[in-house]
Amino acid sequence: MAIPFRPASPAEDLPPYYQDTGNDDIRQCFRNFDVDRNFDLFDRQTREHRSRNFCIDFGEDEGDAFCAFDLNDKAYKKLLESPRPTELHTRWINIWQPYNQKELIQTLASHFDFTPRLLGMMTSDHMPPRNNPSLRMKKSSSTLRSVFSHKSQTTNMSNSIREKAKQANEQALDSESSIGLTEMMQSTQLELVRDLSHYQLVDDVWHWSTVDQGRRCKFLFMSREMGHGLKSSADSNADMCIGYNSLHNVRSKETNTRPIISDRTRDVPHGKRVWNWLLLCEDKTVISISEDPFPFVNGALNKEDVKVLFTTRRNTVNVFRQLTKAPTPLREAALTQLPIRQRLGSSDEETAHRPTDAPGLLFYYLFEDWGATFDLISRREHGYAAELDRLRQEMLQTANLTHVDQLHHIGCQLAVLKRVYQSYELIIERVLKKQEATLASLKNSHILSGNASLISSHPVINDSPGPLVPEADSLLGVALSSAARVRFERLKDRIQLYALSEISECLDQKESLVMMNFNLIAIKESFSVERLTWVTLLLAKITILFTPVTLMTGYFSIQFKGLEFEVGSYWQAFGWTFGLSAALLVLFSWVSGTFEGKIITRSWTRAVYDVAHRWVVGRRKRGKMM
């Protein structure tokens, strides 16, 4: 187990909430997040690959924010069990390298009542890279131990199951077919477990996403009465968990000119895929879990890997910096400012909503990640639009079938991106969807429906055992505050307008470029055929021009008895023959429509007919004029 990160500054006076937990790690690691020197230490830890987790409790006023890095599962258990003061109304727990912190995730799952399947996916081990033995040797020792222990447990379990099955079959019926069927089913189940691991699934299906809802977070709803703000139901418990792949643009200056075609595979976008979990839980707690981009690297990262790490953590670091009131880098940049703790209004109406808006806003801005979501497709100076424009220019110069192959792979990448953004839309729809009770959900249950839920003292309506729960408190899911809902709706519109429409336009352009490429190839072939025809006609004309001269020369070369030819007579005959041949060739070219290598566009009979028709029409006009 790694040693928790302890700031080098001396211990500070912490609120009684942290002092009373009785945990030394909590007292030593938590620091005031609004103090400059503490923030500088924590800010550097967010960009450190070995950092495992951090926890931030914050309120609205300056000094009501405390942060700690790399706490163990026992410290988090103490924090979750201790009632948090009202001034620290929101908590953010961020976890990196989840496969190395299974005890911590199990603590959170036990407290917030995760499903066993959700816990299993969150604590899944990474699958070794395919067809890359060198990277497999870089697997960290902790990951190796977890994988080996999992394999040994699976082997022991399979052996015990086989022994029990064998004994049961021997005692019941001595049937070889049933024994073979049992072993076949067991082996098939083990193959299914090996082949369908969580990280293998999200790596093969980039648009894979999930939205789960439970009962461990308070509903937030808007009061319809004038003068009232957001209120929380004291008894309504639910939670929301979303899982999705985020894509990060990791192109460098060297590869920026040819960003689309990747050496690893040509059918997925050129970017770094990172799986993320986001949970909105009770007590206004937000949990974020991110996949480690380099799970099999042992030791320090190289320069390129550090750049990729900074890119994948860019949004997390930005949200982290916006939660402090100490001076932060790029604080004045407009696009990096988030209205979570930094607000301008100070009226009663504004301040009354801030404690209830903060969890939903934090949940939203962790999901939004505007730069990663739209950097791959929306920016015009590089990406798919620039690649399609480059291919278009190359086609206009020299069109060939290799361009069709490149366009095919670009289309596959755009299709993957389209499904990814559609999965984001689906997540937003599920987050904004209001859960309503149905007759099926109320039948044969302990839910008080209708007016019965308004009665303060729960009467005994039926004789079934168990507590009676009001209808509103039985619904799953979480109703976000209005501030978060408005931003989720805006993000959905942005995805449709700036991502999906851009992808559709690029796909249409890709299809048009494919057709243009074939048309250019056809035009190129027609030009080649026309040039070949022109050369053939030229050679034929030369042959026609010199054939009479050749015959004449053959005649003069014959030795007739009593007849001698003079040189002057030869050249005189040559001139007349050559001139007559040239005149006839010009006349033939003009009549056939092949003068100066032009292609015949109409038949000779049609040409004679047109000439005769013009002559007849012209003669009639002259006759009328006379």
Side-chain angles (χ1 to χ4, degrees):
M1 184 177 296
I3 301 176
F5 169 70
R6 303 178 187 275
S9 60
E12 300 175 354
D13 293 334
L14 297 176
Y17 168 67
Y18 300 106
Q19 297 289 351
D20 296 341
T21 56
N23 188 281
D24 294 335
D25 291 337
I26 294 177
R27 289 195 291 260
Q28 293 294 330
C29 293
F30 269 97
R31 292 290 182 272
N32 192 333
F33 194 50
D34 292 335
V35 177
D36 297 352
R37 65 176 184 275
N38 295 336
F39 170 76
D40 293 338
L41 293 173
F42 292 138
D43 186 54
R44 287 196 296 268
Q45 283 298 110
T46 59
R47 301 186 298 274
E48 175 59 46
H49 178 245
R50 292 172 295 182
S51 297
R52 299 181 301 135
N53 61 77
F54 65 78
C55 176
I56 301 179
D57 297 334
F58 62 90
E60 294 300 322
D61 298 331
E62 184 174 358
D64 289 342
F66 298 89
C67 178
F69 266 76
D70 294 342
L71 295 177
N72 54 29
D73 59 309
K74 295 181 180 179
Y76 277 102
K77 185 176 182 180
K78 286 289 185 181
L79 288 174
L80 296 175
E81 292 176 350
S82 303
R84 194 164 69 248
T86 56
E87 61 269 14
L88 302 177
H89 52 71
T90 305
R91 169 174 290 164
W92 177 21
I93 299 176
N94 181 78
I95 298 175
W96 292 304
Q97 304 178 13
Y99 60 91
N100 279 335
Q101 303 181 78
K102 297 182 179 181
E103 296 82 2
L104 172 56
I105 298 179
Q106 290 175 356
T107 300
L108 298 175
S110 177
H111 183 79
F112 294 110
D113 194 17
F114 295 173
T115 62
R117 187 174 185 177
L118 179 60
L119 174 62
M121 289 190 295
M122 287 183 176
T123 57
S124 298
D125 293 319
H126 274 272
M127 297 296 293
R130 297 175 178 176
N131 301 327
N132 200 339
S134 61
L135 290 179
R136 298 187 184 185
M137 301 303 296
K138 298 181 180 180
K139 186 185 296 184
S140 61
S141 59
S142 59
T143 307
L144 286 172
R145 287 195 299 268
S146 62
V147 172
F148 291 153
S149 62
H150 176 72
K151 288 184 178 180
S152 62
Q153 292 176 2
T154 305
T155 304
N156 296 333
M157 184 181 298
S158 62
N159 293 334
S160 62
I161 292 176
R162 290 179 181 178
E163 291 295 334
K164 292 180 180 179
K166 185 176 181 180
Q167 294 175 2
N169 289 331
E170 290 178 353
Q171 294 176 359
L173 295 174
D174 189 9
S175 175
E176 295 179 359
S177 60
S178 61
I179 296 176
L181 180 60
T182 303
E183 293 179 352
M184 184 183 300
M185 292 175 62
Q186 180 65 21
S187 62
T188 304
Q189 184 177 3
L190 292 177
E191 292 177 359
L192 180 66
V193 172
R194 287 194 297 265
D195 296 339
L196 289 182
S197 65
H198 170 65
Y199 285 107
Q200 191 66 54
L201 178 64
V202 301
D203 189 63
D204 293 339
V205 186
W206 282 34
H207 59 280
W208 179 265
S209 62
T210 177
V211 179
D212 297 323
Q213 296 173 342
R215 306 184 189 277
R216 290 289 290 167
C217 182
K218 297 179 179 180
F219 278 101
L220 300 178
F221 59 93
M222 177 68 74
S223 174
R224 296 183 181 273
E225 300 178 4
M226 296 300 294
H228 291 271
L230 288 174
K231 296 183 179 180
S232 62
S233 173
D235 299 323
S236 299
N237 291 329
D239 71 336
M240 177 172 294
C241 173
I242 62 176
Y244 61 96
N245 272 324
S246 62
L247 305 182
H248 302 273
N249 184 8
V250 294
R251 293 192 289 265
S252 61
K253 295 181 179 179
E254 291 76 10
T255 60
N256 197 27
T257 56
R258 298 293 298 275
I260 302 302
I261 307 302
S262 174
D263 293 333
R264 182 178 66 90
T265 178
R266 303 175 68 186
D267 292 337
V268 295
H270 184 84
K272 187 64 178 179
R273 181 206 57 80
V274 178
W275 178 263
N276 299 278
W277 297 99
L278 281 180
L279 297 94
L280 184 58
C281 306
E282 73 172 350
D283 296 332
K284 303 174 184 177
T285 300
V286 178
I287 302 175
S288 58
I289 303 175
S290 299
E291 175 189 358
D292 186 8
F294 309 102
F296 301 102
V297 174
N298 188 14
L301 301 179
N302 56 34
K303 183 178 179 181
E304 292 297 328
D305 292 343
V306 170
K307 183 178 180 180
V308 172
L309 181 68
F310 289 175
T311 303
T312 57
R313 292 187 181 183
R314 177 176 52 189
N315 184 64
T316 303
V317 173
N318 181 48
V319 176
F320 182 87
R321 291 173 175 176
Q322 293 298 317
L323 294 182
T324 182
K325 294 193 175 182
T328 60
L330 302 177
R331 176 176 288 276
E332 300 301 327
L335 295 179
T336 61
Q337 297 182 14
L338 306 179
I340 301 177
R341 290 190 73 201
Q342 311 294 336
R343 299 294 186 92
L344 299 178
S346 59
S347 62
D348 295 338
E349 291 79 4
E350 289 290 334
T351 56
H353 291 76
R354 293 177 184 176
T356 52
D357 285 346
L361 291 176
L362 178 60
F363 184 80
Y364 165 76
Y365 285 113
L366 288 175
F367 173 75
E368 181 194 36
D369 198 359
W370 178 265
T373 305
F374 299 96
D375 195 25
L376 285 172
I377 190 65
S378 295
R379 298 180 62 181
R380 304 295 299 185
E381 67 270 15
H382 60 70
Y384 293 92
E387 182 72 6
L388 292 174
D389 185 68
R390 182 189 64 82
L391 289 176
R392 182 184 62 83
Q393 294 177 3
E394 290 185 0
M395 289 178 189
L396 293 177
Q397 295 178 0
T398 304
N400 51 60
L401 294 179
T402 59
H403 294 141
V404 178
D405 181 66
Q406 296 181 27
L407 289 172
H408 166 73
H409 293 293
I410 291 177
C412 293
Q413 297 175 23
L414 290 172
V416 172
L417 276 180
K418 183 177 181 180
R419 289 191 291 267
V420 169
Y421 290 122
Q422 287 176 343
S423 69
Y424 293 162
E425 274 194 322
L426 180 61
I427 289 175
I428 295 175
E429 292 178 359
R430 294 288 302 276
V431 168
L432 297 178
K433 183 179 180 180
K434 181 181 179 181
Q435 298 290 331
E436 297 181 357
T438 61
L439 180 61
S441 65
L442 300 177
K443 186 178 181 181
N444 297 327
S445 64
H446 301 160
I447 307 302
L448 293 175
S449 61
N451 296 329
S453 62
L454 301 177
I455 303 176
S456 58
S457 59
H458 301 303
V460 179
I461 299 180
N462 51 34
D463 298 333
S464 61
L468 298 176
V469 182
E471 177 182 333
D473 298 346
S474 66
L475 303 180
L476 294 176
V478 57
L480 296 172
S481 61
S482 58
R485 293 183 64 87
V486 168
R487 286 167 173 81
F488 269 110
E489 293 173 355
R490 181 184 63 189
L491 178 61
K492 182 179 178 181
D493 295 337
R494 286 179 174 177
I495 290 176
Q496 181 64 39
L497 182 61
Y498 301 117
L500 291 177
S501 61
E502 187 77 17
I503 292 175
S504 299
E505 181 180 350
C506 289
L507 287 173
D508 295 339
Q509 186 178 358
K510 188 267 297 184
E511 294 295 333
S512 64
L513 286 179
V514 172
M515 297 301 299
M516 187 184 76
N517 186 78
F518 285 116
N519 292 334
L520 290 175
I521 292 177
I523 294 174
K524 177 183 177 181
E525 292 178 352
S526 65
F527 282 151
S528 299
V529 172
E530 183 178 359
R531 182 179 295 274
L532 179 62
T533 304
W534 182 83
V535 172
T536 304
L537 289 175
L538 180 62
L539 294 177
K541 291 178 180 180
I542 294 175
T543 303
I544 294 174
L545 182 64
F546 284 96
T547 297
V549 176
T550 304
L551 294 177
M552 184 208 68
T553 304
Y555 173 77
F556 277 96
S557 64
I558 299 175
Q559 298 295 330
F560 291 100
K561 186 176 180 181
L563 181 61
E564 294 182 358
F565 297 103
E566 298 180 355
V567 176
S569 61
Y570 170 78
W571 286 111
Q572 184 178 6
F574 180 87
W576 283 102
T577 304
F578 188 82
L580 182 62
S581 299
L584 293 176
L585 182 61
V586 171
L587 179 62
F588 173 80
S589 299
W590 179 77
V591 173
S592 62
T594 58
F595 191 72
E596 295 182 355
K598 292 183 179 179
I599 304 299
I600 299 176
T601 57
R602 55 180 179 173
S603 62
W604 291 354
T605 57
R606 182 68 182 178
V608 172
Y609 173 80
D610 292 340
V611 171
H613 179 72
R614 286 195 298 269
W615 180 78
V616 172
V617 172
R619 187 172 182 179
R620 288 178 181 178
K621 288 182 179 180
R622 289 193 298 269
K624 291 180 180 180
M625 292 175 63
M626 295 177 61

